[in-house]
């Protein structure tokens, strides 16, 4: 249960994974008529998660994603999660400018949502991104809402993150995120472009602020972006 609760706290942003490995979402979407696949493994203190998150932009300003995760703890208990999300932009991001949008989605935890329908926890948030130094420094902010269906509880969600370009192919990331109750989480890491704008690898370390080792995690990911090919 502690692992499930921690995962539920992360999923309103983890579902989006705007630019792996960040949890705080950005005000950008996949290029028009293109797709991407983000996949990653995350090692927690006593469990491991494997994620895959495909997303496509069919219309030019609507990114649709459908993904999920398989998890297994050290006691061999297995979990499954399914994420469905739609995201659009109201103001596209420009160099040395800012942009914002809206994302809405549904997260279904099979271990918690045991009914036959696919409706799980509902969420919505507004991502905003501010560009500095000709896109070499980006600041992301999120403010949102989460409805926990089983508990019949509403929560406010938030996130603040930065991306800083270290070299032509390497970016450093740092962020803090959480809910209106409880101590927030933080994450630091880097991403590296093997093929610029098409193939990216990343790794991170994260934990809850002021926590010991019980809630820390490590992740490694692969992100693939296609050129425009959809009709």
């Amino acid at each position: 249960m502690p692992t499930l609760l921690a995962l539920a706290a992360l999923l309103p942003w983890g579902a989006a994974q705007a630019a792996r490995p960040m949890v705080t979402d950005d005000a950008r979407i996949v290029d028009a008529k293109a797709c991407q696949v983000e996949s990653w493994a995350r090692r927690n203190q006593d469990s491991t998660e494997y994620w895959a998150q495909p997303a496509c932009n069919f219309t030019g300003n609507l990114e649709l994603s459908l993904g999920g995760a398989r998890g297994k703890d050290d006691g061999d208990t297995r979990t499954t999660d399914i994420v469905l999300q739609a995201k659009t932009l109201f103001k596209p991001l420009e160099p040395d400018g800012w942009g914002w949008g809206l994302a809405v989605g549904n997260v279904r935890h099979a271990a918690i949502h045991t009914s036959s329908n696919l409706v799980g926890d509902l969420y919505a948030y507004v991502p905003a991104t501010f560009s500095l130094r000709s896109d070499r420094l980006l600041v992301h902010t999120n403010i949102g809402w989460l409805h926990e269906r089983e508990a019949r509880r509403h929560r406010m969600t938030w996130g603040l993150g930065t991306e800083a370009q270290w070299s032509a192919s390497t970016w450093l990331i740092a962020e803090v995120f959480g809910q209106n109750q409880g101590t927030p989480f933080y994450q630091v890491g880097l991403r590296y472009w093997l093929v610029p704008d098409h193939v990216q690898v990343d790794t991170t370390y994260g934990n809850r602020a002021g926590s010991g080792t019980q809630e820390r995690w490590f992740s490694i990911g692969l992100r693939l972006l296609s050129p425009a090919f959809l009709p």
Side-chain angles (χ1 to χ4, degrees), residues 164-187:
Q165 188 172 17
W166 187 15
S167 69
S169 300
T170 306
W171 289 75
L172 304 177
I173 70 110
E175 61 181 336
V176 59
F177 51 93
Q179 300 180 348
N180 60 312
Q181 298 177 349
T183 307
F185 297 88
Y186 67 88
Q187 184 174 218

Side-chain angles (χ1 to χ4, degrees), residues 34-54:
C35 295
Q36 71 172 6
V37 177
E38 295 176 308
S39 60
W40 66 97
R42 173 173 148 164
R43 177 60 187 173
N44 305 306
Q45 180 69 12
D46 57 2
S47 64
T48 304
E49 305 162 24
Y50 301 95
W51 284 85
Q53 187 79 23

Side-chain angles (χ1 to χ4, degrees), residues 120-156:
D121 295 343
L122 302 176
Y123 67 89
Y125 62 89
V126 174
T129 296
F130 303 86
S131 169
L132 304 169
R133 300 178 60 191
S134 300
D135 279 351
R136 292 192 299 273
L137 177 63
L138 301 171
V139 178
H140 311 298
T141 64
N142 289 180
I143 187 73
W145 158 85
L146 168 67
H147 172 61
E148 298 174 346
R149 183 167 67 91
E150 292 296 319
R152 298 183 180 181
R153 180 168 54 196
H154 299 270
R155 293 185 181 272
M156 184 193 78

